[in-house]
Amino acid sequence: CCIRREVNIHEVEELTGQPARNIRFLIAEGIVPEPHGKARWASYGEEHVKALAFYAELKAEGVTALSAIRTAT
């Protein structure tokens, strides 16, 4: 789970199993923090991977409402 350096969105996809499109959606919804930098230079750290793991845990427990997920984070 833990990463020691900043990674790009494709590496986050590999680490979390979440597609880039969903990662961007969850960022827009405030569930995952904004990346460091913008566009092609955006990078992601451990906080992003942890937020996506927490999101996946809640979904696995049957929590589907984004408002409930947002509140839990």
Side-chain angles (χ1 to χ4, degrees):
C1 125
C2 302
I3 58 174
R4 301 192 189 284
R5 62 180 174 82
E6 296 285 310
V7 297
N8 65 37
I9 196 159
H10 302 293
E11 292 169 299
V12 175
E13 282 182 296
E14 291 175 16
L15 290 167
T16 64
Q18 294 289 331
R21 182 180 178 130
N22 196 46
I23 294 168
R24 290 185 190 104
F25 172 75
L26 294 171
I27 290 168
E29 290 295 318
I31 293 168
V32 174
E34 290 281 331
H36 307 253
K38 296 288 179 192
R40 290 179 38 198
W41 298 275
S43 62
Y44 303 81
E46 189 171 338
E47 69 272 25
H48 300 95
V49 174
K50 285 183 176 181
L52 288 161
F54 186 63
Y55 165 79
E57 286 176 30
L58 291 175
K59 292 286 284 188
E61 292 174 8
V63 180
T64 57
L66 289 177
S67 58
I69 294 171
R70 193 178 300 108
T71 302
T73 58

